[in-house]
């Protein structure tokens, strides 16, 4: 689906995205001539959701200013996704002691692996949808330079995507360590421009600590390992974030928390997930979805968002990231996973 960027886009009858629910003709007219200092427009913000009518959300921000300039559109979308109203404010809490998440599956019957990530973007630069090639390359050199100073368990190597051996790249994706190329949602948001230049992955020797550079956000800081030891994964992530923040300053808004290119990631920018085998619940999707909804969980497929589940294995994560703390994000995921495992056992 293409459109002229000037007139109100057509949405299919079947479209259920937050964009098509919240963008009226009148709002489009009100916002269509606004341009941020980085040259980012409403048409760019909504292009992904117009071109991909199966989007769940459909909008991206080009810079910090986008969240203010286009707030008549972003605010209702943010409220809808996170349950975060105009008068709410965001709060951070990285205190591991407040988390109660002992391994919910010590025998390894259900949980294959645990992963917790946060998104981060550098203060003063545009976000990925509006960044220039020179700025993106600058992010890569600044971040890879900073990561080079990490020590101990976090020490590792930065591997640029440009020039990476194809077999190595495919294996990293298949093993769930690296982002895919050519995502159509990111593509329409302008996030794949100049691909693969400026993109890459840093990881430690065991691939338990990883940083994606210049994918949807400038940094995705990731801690992951096999099994269900959520507290160890969270603790490693906190250590890494604190170390990286010593040398890089990240975009933070007093109301919206950490700023990210997709509004679903605002606030903590944290997604805590497990890959979990739930074959019986998989056969009873209404019950599965009911439990997921009541614990604020999102169900994804095994290869990430917009992918399918295979062999009854799902990616289960916290859905809310804004207006709740980092500890709450992980606690949401933990509480929901305990409930899912208990239901799977009953079945
Ligand atoms: P994100 O937005 O968190 O980066 P994606 O849905 O794009 O998430 O997934 C990125 C990659 O991380 C995918 O390969 C996905 O399978 C992998 N992944 C997510 N959660 C886990 C997990 N708990 N264990 C192993 N891999 C995971
Ligand atoms: N733009 C896509 C993805 C939305 C949320 N996920 C991420 C990775 N940001 C959509 O609207 O479905």
């Amino acid at each position: 689906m293409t459109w002229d960027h000037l007139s109100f886009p057509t949405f299919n009858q079947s479209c259920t995205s937050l964009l098509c629910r919240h963008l009226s003709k009148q709002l489009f007219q009100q916002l269509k001539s606004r341009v941020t200092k980085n040259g980012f427009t409403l048409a760019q913000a909504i292009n992904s959701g117009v071109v991909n009518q199966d989007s769940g959300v459909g909008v991206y921000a080009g810079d910090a200013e986008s969240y203010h300039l286009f707030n008549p559109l972003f605010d209702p979308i943010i409220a809808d996704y996170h349950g975060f109203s105009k008068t709410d404010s965001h709060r951070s809490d990285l205190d591991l002691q407040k988390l109660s998440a002992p391994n919910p599956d010590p025998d390894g019957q259900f949980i294959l692996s645990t992963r917790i990530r946060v998104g981060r973007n550098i203060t003063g630069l545009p976000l990925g949808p509006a960044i220039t090639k020179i700025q993106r390359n600058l992010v890569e050199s600044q971040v890879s330079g900073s990561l080079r100073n990490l020590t101990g368990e976090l020490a590792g190597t930065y591997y640029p995507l440009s020039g990476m051996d194809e077999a190595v790249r495919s294996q990293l994706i298949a093993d769930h360590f690296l982002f895919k190329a050519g995502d159509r949602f990111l593509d329409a948001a302008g996030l794949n421009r100049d691909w693969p230049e400026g993109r890459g992955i840093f990881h430690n020797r065991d691939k338990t600590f990883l940083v994606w550079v210049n994918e949807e956000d400038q940094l995705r800081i990731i801690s992951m390992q096999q099994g269900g030891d959520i507290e160890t994964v969270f603790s490693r992530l906190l250590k890494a974030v604190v170390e990286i923040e010593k040398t890089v300053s990240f975009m933070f808004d007093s109301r919206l928390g950490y700023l990210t290119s997709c509004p679903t990631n605002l606030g903590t920018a944290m997604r805590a997930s497990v890959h979990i085998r739930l074959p019986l619940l998989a056969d009873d999707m209404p019950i599965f979805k009911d439990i997921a909804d009541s614990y604020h969980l999102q169900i994804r497929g095994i290869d990430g968002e917009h992918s399918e589940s295979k062999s009854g294995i799902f990616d289960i994560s916290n859905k809310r990231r804004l207006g709740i703390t980092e500890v709450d994000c992980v606690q949401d995921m933990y509480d929901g996973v305990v409930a899912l495992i208990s239901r799977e056992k009953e079945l």
Side-chain angles (χ1 to χ4, degrees), residues 3 26 29 32 61-62 71 91 95 103 108 110-111 132 140 150 184 208 249 281 286 313 328 331 346:
W3 66 300
Q26 192 191 10
Q29 291 305 332
K32 73 173 188 186
N71 69 352
R91 205 164 55 82
D95 184 356
N103 191 338
F110 302 97
I111 299 180
T132 66
E140 183 187 36
L150 294 175
R184 65 188 161 91
T208 54
S249 158
L281 273 169
I313 302 170
D328 296 331
Q331 198 68 55
E346 278 169 27

Side-chain angles (χ1 to χ4, degrees), residues 2 26 31 39 42 47 54 58 68 88 105 151 161 165 175-176 181 193 195 219 234 254 286 301 303 347:
T2 52
Q26 192 191 10
L31 301 180
L42 176 72
N47 191 55
D54 55 343
H68 301 289
D88 286 336
D105 179 33
T151 55
L161 222 56
D165 180 77
D175 292 340
H176 306 291
R193 287 170 300 125
W195 185 277
L219 288 88
F234 188 45
S254 55
D303 293 317
L347 292 172

